[in-house]
Amino acid sequence: MIYCRVSTAQEDQETSYEAQVTYFTKLITENPSWQLAGIYVDGGISGTDMKKRDNFNAMMERCLQKDGDIDLILTKSISRFARNIVDCLSCIRKLKERNIAVYFEKEHINTLESTGELLITILSSQTQEESRNISENVKWGLKRKV
């Protein structure tokens, strides 16, 4: 299964989305022991709020069903999966209970490996802080612009 997210609806983000889908689809089709189980994409949506990420939530719901047809989710990076440390770890733990790995390509982390959760905790806290800083910078700029 593939999960992709882009945070804005700008044209350059559309290219990023397409590149992610193309890359992971090729990776899956070139591995004879893998089968593409679906592609879930959220576009123009922040990774800080789970409520607005309809496709992420649909993917999680499918993964947590009892039929067990999913065993791996490929995604570009931790920041594409979630920018909120609590949400990120909560989802990963739910998936681990079903023996479903999330592989973060950029960081080369497999959540089912022994060091996965520690690395994710550290890196997802950084992505959460990065998101908070960006938000504060935008707000500061808007205040000064008026």
Side-chain angles (χ1 to χ4, degrees):
M1 176 176 295
I2 301 169
Y3 178 71
C4 303
R5 182 183 64 80
V6 292
S7 51
T8 68
Q10 295 175 345
E11 189 174 324
D12 61 332
Q13 292 283 291
E14 186 68 26
T15 304
S16 174
Y17 151 72
E18 290 169 2
Q20 290 175 58
V21 171
T22 300
Y23 173 79
F24 288 117
T25 300
K26 184 176 186 242
L27 190 67
I28 290 169
T29 56
E30 288 179 352
N31 187 327
S33 63
W34 288 358
Q35 183 178 351
L36 181 59
I39 301 172
Y40 291 83
V41 178
D42 286 309
I45 296 172
S46 170
T48 59
D49 186 358
M50 300 295 287
K51 294 174 193 155
K52 298 176 183 176
R53 297 171 65 200
D54 294 337
N55 287 318
F56 182 88
N57 291 322
M59 177 190 71
M60 287 296 296
E61 187 176 311
R62 179 173 174 198
C63 287
L64 299 177
Q65 291 175 350
K66 295 188 189 286
D67 60 8
D69 68 332
I70 308 299
D71 58 6
L72 176 64
I73 299 170
L74 299 174
T75 192
K76 178 181 174 184
S77 65
I78 292 170
S79 67
R80 298 297 89 198
F81 191 76
R83 283 190 174 265
N84 177 307
I85 189 170
V86 174
D87 290 340
C88 185
L89 291 175
S90 173
C91 290
I92 287 168
R93 288 174 182 156
K94 287 176 186 175
L95 294 166
K96 280 176 77 172
E97 287 174 6
R98 296 258 188 223
N99 205 33
I100 300 171
V102 180
Y103 183 74
F104 300 101
E105 177 75 17
K106 180 180 173 186
E107 296 87 359
H108 304 288
I109 296 173
N110 180 330
T111 59
L112 294 183
E113 293 177 354
S114 61
T115 59
E117 190 163 327
L118 174 62
L119 291 170
I120 290 164
T121 301
I122 293 166
L123 295 172
S124 63
S125 66
Q126 288 176 326
T127 62
Q128 180 175 316
E129 184 63 18
E130 176 188 357
S131 182
R132 189 187 65 76
N133 284 337
I134 290 168
S135 176
E136 286 181 7
N137 288 340
V138 168
K139 288 176 186 175
W140 185 90
L142 291 173
K143 280 184 182 178
R144 301 308 180 268
K145 191 176 181 178
V146 177

